[in-house]
Structures are given as C-alpha cells and as structure tokens.
Amino acid sequence: MLTANPDGRALVVCESMFGNTRAVADAIADGLRSHVARVDVCTVAEAPSSLDGIDLVVVGGPTHAFSMSRTATREAATEQGSTAPTDIGVREWLGRLARPSTPTYGAAYTTRFRTWYAGRATRAISNRLRRLGCPVLATFDATVTGVRGPLAEGELDRARHWGAILATRLHIAAAAATS
C-alpha cells in the first residue's frame, strides 16, 4: 500500500532553456507551499540522485520535438541563445533514478506551443515516473508564445493554482492510501 506524508516534502525539478519553464516551476512551488510543509525547486542538473524521503516529485521541462528534450534539441536551443546544460535533461535524470524506497507521488508539467501538432513532454515524463513506481497525480501544460517565450498571459497564475490543486490531490491520495 502506498502512503505518504502530505505535510512532508515536495521537490519541483525543472529543465529550462530560456527561463520560461523555471518560472512555471517557481509558480507551481508557490501553489504547493500553501499546503505542503517543505517545497524545494531545483534544476535537473542540481536534482538529487534519489527520490527517497520525497513525498511528491513534480518534474517538468520544455516540449522539444513532440516530447522530452534530447542532447540534439538542447544543442539546437543553445544555438538560439540558451545557456542551459546540453549534457543532462529530464530524460537523462529520470533514466538514472532507481525506484524510491519510500513512497513518492509524481506530477509532470511542460512548456509548449498550443497547437495540435506540438506534442507534449508530460506524457513521456508521466510514463517514466510510473515506471519508477511513482503514481502520477496530475499533469500541466503551460503555453509559450515562441521558441524563446514568453509565456502566454496568465500562465503563471494558472501554474500557481495548479500547484495548490496538486497539493490537495496529494493529501487526498495519501489519506485514501492509509484508509
């Protein structure tokens, strides 16, 4: 039976090329802080090598070529002015993680164009989290208006609201698991 401490720890991990996904991560964390005792935000390069002791991990990055970024798409972003590392992204970080020994819930978010053909990284992130044994509580897509951004109007408010909803879902899931 999966249980978690909803008053415990949430970690928001982000991969950001031009700062838009980081801004969304910070807004999500603000929403989570309304209901979760400890919320940390880090880049994927700073992310821990284990999810042990983390009750909720929220993982996000930009949608590149219909899914999570790859080395080649990060290099292409560098050519457009990104200063983000090209050697590690969400894909690689999740690929290195082992199944947590403590119960951990998951959530996924992405920044993407709002078109029918843009794809979304949230699907692949969610699948990887599930394979790690982290039930996914929700996903969130934030809209950018161009490759470098900016975020569409109102997206940071939506992200804060989603963070608060996510915290509530964590409480409900943890309570259901213990009953």
Side-chain angles (χ1 to χ4, degrees):
M1 174 188 311
L2 182 68
T3 62
N5 175 7
D7 296 320
R9 181 176 181 204
L11 178 64
V12 182
V13 178
C14 75
E15 175 186 351
S16 187
M17 303 295 141
F18 301 105
N20 298 298
T21 310
R22 177 59 191 240
V24 171
D26 290 334
I28 290 168
D30 286 345
L32 284 166
R33 285 185 184 107
S34 62
H35 302 291
V36 178
R38 179 177 173 197
V39 180
D40 298 308
V41 180
C42 67
T43 67
V44 70
E46 304 163 331
S49 59
S50 169
L51 296 178
D52 291 345
I54 297 170
D55 299 294
L56 172 67
V57 61
V58 185
V59 182
T63 296
H64 282 198
F66 308 104
S67 190
M68 295 183 284
S69 73
R70 291 177 161 61
T71 301
T73 64
R74 291 189 295 272
E75 288 171 352
T78 299
E79 292 172 9
Q80 296 177 41
S82 170
T83 58
T86 59
D87 59 332
I88 185 161
V90 167
R91 177 187 303 272
E92 293 80 10
W93 177 69
L94 287 170
R96 295 177 188 160
L97 289 174
R99 183 178 287 265
S101 64
T102 58
T104 304
Y105 289 93
Y109 67 98
T110 191
T111 49
R112 63 186 283 273
F113 292 114
R114 178 101 37 215
T115 60
W116 67 269
Y117 58 85
R120 57 179 37 100
T122 51
R123 288 182 188 150
I125 294 169
S126 295
N127 287 339
R128 300 265 175 126
L129 287 168
R130 285 184 192 101
R131 276 186 250 146
L132 287 169
C134 304
V136 175
L137 298 178
T139 63
F140 178 77
D141 296 326
T143 302
V144 291
T145 60
V147 170
R148 297 177 58 118
L151 289 161
E153 188 173 329
E155 290 302 87
L156 293 179
D157 289 335
R158 285 184 58 241
R160 272 185 215 89
H161 181 70
W162 184 76
I165 290 170
L166 186 56
T168 300
R169 287 186 180 184
L170 174 62
H171 285 280
I172 292 168
T178 58
S179 60

